[in-house]
Amino acid sequence: MRLDKFICKSTELTRTEAKKLLKMGKVTVNDTVIKDPATQVHENNCICVEGSELTARSSRYVILHKPLDTICSNVDEIYPSLLHLIDVDRAFDMHIAGRLDADTTGLVLVTDDGRWSHNIISPKKQCEKVYRVWLRDALKADTAEKFTHGVQLQGEEGLTRPAKLAQVEEREVLLTITEGKYHQVKRMFAAVGNKVVGLHREQIGPIKLANLPLGEWRYLSQAEVDAFL
Ligand code: URA
């Protein structure tokens, strides 16, 4: 990870304070003074601030049931950041692994382990995400087939990756996708002439929201964390 991030993970310092210390030449990595905050370091390196060795706190992995009108961002905008709902120390040092729109509810994963979240959001990993979708119009008979072959989203090169669609009710479906393009689910249904009127994420890889109440969070189990290590 970046050196400034390592310092934050192992002290009570903010990113700005860590950068200031670096600039002052107070940080050594394996006995060499390092000033560049972007330097990549490993937990096995001997990293010292003014001669005292730092030990990184272990990473945290959280699942949250996102309510409507909260945003997947580390800063508040029109709506508040959902990180306010996670009452752990330094919640705003964590990041969201796979964003949801303000008007989408459901499963959100939050961590301070960048390598772990990369395994969820990297397009190369093709991690499955399951959404429950409520539609304006009844599902057309050919939509599942179109989604299997891929549809053209406006402004994108190439078709969407094969997606699985299971009908629940006339206007309710479960959609499994392995991509995470901007507004992907809404744009996929727009591409087949329908409209999403409600969206809820139920699952990411093997991790399920299950009966976690709206607005609440819990730490992931070791088995859940291991799924993306
Ligand atoms: N697709 C969308 O359109 N919105 C989301 O929030 C998630 C997936």
Side-chain angles (χ1 to χ4, degrees):
M1 80 179 74
R2 283 171 59 108
L3 180 53
D4 55 352
K5 177 130 196 255
F6 182 91
I7 296 170
C8 294
K9 261 196 106 175
S10 48
T11 64
E12 294 301 310
L13 298 174
T14 62
R15 191 67 82 93
T16 314
E17 289 165 343
K19 283 185 177 157
K20 213 180 267 177
L21 270 185
L22 284 157
K23 211 170 172 188
M24 288 158 70
K26 297 206 168 174
V27 180
T28 56
V29 178
N30 299 336
D31 293 327
T32 305
V33 172
I34 303 287
K35 293 192 171 178
D36 179 2
T39 305
Q40 288 293 313
V41 292
H42 189 268
E43 297 191 6
N44 292 343
N45 295 149
C46 176
I47 300 162
C48 299
V49 171
E50 295 180 307
S52 304
E53 186 171 351
L54 303 181
T55 327
R57 281 189 290 273
S58 48
S59 295
R60 297 162 301 168
Y61 306 91
V62 161
I63 177 173
L64 169 79
H65 187 163
K66 179 190 176 296
L68 286 174
D69 299 345
T70 54
I71 52 165
C72 289
S73 163
N74 285 55
V75 287
D76 298 334
E77 288 165 28
I78 301 175
Y79 297 112
S81 162
L82 53 67
L83 294 173
H84 288 291
L85 297 169
I86 306 173
D87 47 344
V88 300
D89 199 27
R90 300 161 70 99
F92 278 76
D93 286 352
M94 300 201 285
H95 60 269
I96 293 137
R99 290 160 183 247
L100 292 178
D101 300 331
D103 60 357
T104 302
T105 58
L107 191 168
V108 170
L109 298 175
V110 184
T111 184
D112 42 20
D113 182 344
R115 198 179 297 180
W116 187 82
S117 53
H118 175 78
N119 289 335
I120 296 170
I121 58 183
S122 164
K124 279 192 201 138
K125 305 283 177 181
Q126 299 194 23
C127 169
E128 285 195 341
K129 275 110 12 195
V130 182
Y131 292 89
R132 188 171 291 271
V133 191
W134 291 272
L135 299 165
R136 180 192 59 197
D137 306 324
L139 185 74
K140 290 182 195 148
D142 60 355
T143 301
E145 203 189 326
K146 283 187 177 165
F147 283 0
T148 305
H149 290 114
V151 289
Q152 184 67 54
L153 302 184
Q154 260 189 356
E156 301 284 348
E157 271 179 35
L159 302 180
T160 51
R161 285 217 189 102
K164 287 179 256 175
L165 188 67
Q167 186 158 16
V168 180
E169 300 280 351
E170 197 183 36
R171 292 183 175 76
E172 183 180 334
V173 298
L174 286 173
L175 177 67
T176 305
I177 57 174
T178 58
E179 300 168 284
K181 293 198 171 86
Y182 182 65
H183 291 335
Q184 171 131 2
V185 176
K186 292 172 185 163
R187 289 162 74 207
M188 284 175 73
F189 280 99
V192 295
N194 208 329
K195 186 172 163 55
V196 172
V197 293
L199 187 56
H200 177 79
R201 185 159 63 196
E202 296 197 342
Q203 193 170 339
I204 296 183
I207 303 176
K208 293 184 179 163
L209 189 60
N211 50 7
L212 185 65
L214 185 73
E216 294 200 10
W217 68 275
R218 66 170 171 83
Y219 286 111
L220 292 181
S221 68
Q222 192 58 50
E224 289 170 323
V225 173
D226 288 349
F228 294 110
L229 281 180

